[in-house]
Amino acid sequence: MTTATTRFAIQPVAAATLPIAQSTLLFPVHRVYCVGRNYADHAIEMGGDPNREPPFFFQKNPDNLFAGDSFPYPSASNDVHHEIEMVVALKGGGVDIPVADALDCVWGYAVGLDMTRRDLQAMAKELARPWEVAKAFEQSAPCSPLVAAEKIGHPSRGAIRLDVNGERRQAGDLDQMIWKVPEMISYLSGLFRLAPGDVIMTGTPAGVGPVSRGDVLHGRVDGVGGLDVMVV
């Protein structure tokens, strides 16, 4: 008799999930989209144009997201950078979603770090190659538990910041995002069929910089929550 466990040639890897604050339920992660240079000051520090040009996106793998208090310094790099971001988790999707309807797709929010092997990213840029080796390595996206939009609403302004060993490194406000959350969702839905479980990392303010083993990172987005991670 065919069973669920015998339909696969090998044992499938468990689905990627994120915890939900004050709940035993888990949020299943489908895809992870990241918007690049979505704060003008960060675009400038990375050598880009802060003007409102069409957004660009890259992806991380679903299991790159993890809720833990330790970030293992990755191999093949000597220049790993922090990027604090607000994370958006979707409960709905589709294609060509109007901006006015986009927030109806949002389940909730979290605080995340887009950890980046900056030296490998620089090499990829120089060679006009994709960024996956710099962005989509194991445990490259520490993330706080998700909080439901029905509890906190849809944050459109509020401080976003990151301290490393008690020193402020990054600081901005959600209202400084070039592309707001509804616009990101709408634009993405013109490129991909969005689905429940999709996660969007919404970009980082200026101040990105390197981390070392032993560093303690404390990130916060007002109205959403905080995230504490040690580099190990």
Side-chain angles (χ1 to χ4, degrees), residues 27 89-94 97 102 104-107 185 193-198:
F27 184 88
L90 303 187
K91 64 181 179 182
I97 300 168
D104 294 338
C105 298
V106 176
W107 188 92
I185 293 171
R193 180 179 294 277
L194 298 183
D198 284 347

Side-chain angles (χ1 to χ4, degrees), residues 46-60:
M46 298 303 291
D49 187 338
N51 295 320
R52 189 178 162 90
E53 297 179 344
F56 74 93
F57 298 89
F58 57 91
Q59 288 183 284
K60 286 182 179 280

Side-chain angles (χ1 to χ4, degrees), residues 37-47 83 118 204-208:
R37 298 178 183 172
N38 199 32
Y39 288 75
D41 53 0
H42 176 58
I44 292 170
E45 77 174 346
M46 298 303 291
E83 298 188 13
R118 193 71 75 200
T204 194
V208 300

Side-chain angles (χ1 to χ4, degrees), residues 94-97 184-194:
V95 296
D96 297 326
I97 300 168
M184 280 185 255
I185 293 171
S186 179
Y187 194 94
L188 264 174
S189 73
L191 299 172
F192 304 94
R193 180 179 294 277
L194 298 183

Side-chain angles (χ1 to χ4, degrees), residues 5-201:
T5 57
T6 60
R7 289 170 45 223
F8 301 102
I10 60 173
Q11 185 66 26
V13 175
T17 61
L18 282 174
I20 296 170
Q22 300 178 343
S23 175
T24 58
L25 297 176
L26 297 173
F27 184 88
V29 179
H30 179 239
R31 292 177 180 169
V32 182
Y33 300 99
C34 307
V35 61
R37 298 178 183 172
N38 199 32
Y39 288 75
D41 53 0
H42 176 58
I44 292 170
E45 77 174 346
M46 298 303 291
D49 187 338
N51 295 320
R52 189 178 162 90
E53 297 179 344
F56 74 93
F57 298 89
F58 57 91
Q59 288 183 284
K60 286 182 179 280
N61 299 313
D63 60 359
N64 293 161
L65 292 173
F66 77 101
D69 56 9
S70 297
F71 166 72
Y73 200 98
S75 61
S77 177
N78 295 307
D79 190 23
V80 177
H81 284 207
H82 55 74
E83 298 188 13
I84 186 70
E85 313 204 1
M86 185 174 74
V87 176
V88 180
L90 303 187
K91 64 181 179 182
V95 296
D96 297 326
I97 300 168
V99 171
D101 298 335
L103 290 181
D104 294 338
C105 298
V106 176
W107 188 92
Y109 299 87
V111 183
L113 285 164
D114 171 18
M115 303 303 289
T116 302
R117 294 194 280 205
R118 193 71 75 200
D119 45 0
L120 299 189
Q121 184 188 37
M123 187 183 305
K125 288 180 178 179
E126 183 178 348
L127 297 173
R129 291 178 178 174
W131 290 5
E132 280 82 0
V133 294
K135 293 286 192 178
F137 57 91
E138 283 70 21
Q139 295 180 283
S140 60
C143 192
S144 72
L146 289 163
V147 289
E150 64 182 20
K151 292 184 178 180
I152 65 169
H154 297 285
S156 60
R157 63 181 65 245
I160 175 172
R161 54 195 181 272
L162 180 77
D163 295 343
V164 179
N165 301 325
E167 177 186 352
R168 184 63 42 88
R169 291 275 191 90
Q170 293 186 258
D173 195 284
L174 297 178
D175 67 5
Q176 296 169 340
M177 286 194 292
I178 299 170
W179 291 86
K180 311 306 184 186
V181 171
E183 295 172 318
M184 280 185 255
I185 293 171
S186 179
Y187 194 94
L188 264 174
S189 73
L191 299 172
F192 304 94
R193 180 179 294 277
L194 298 183
D198 284 347
V199 168
I200 302 171
M201 301 189 75

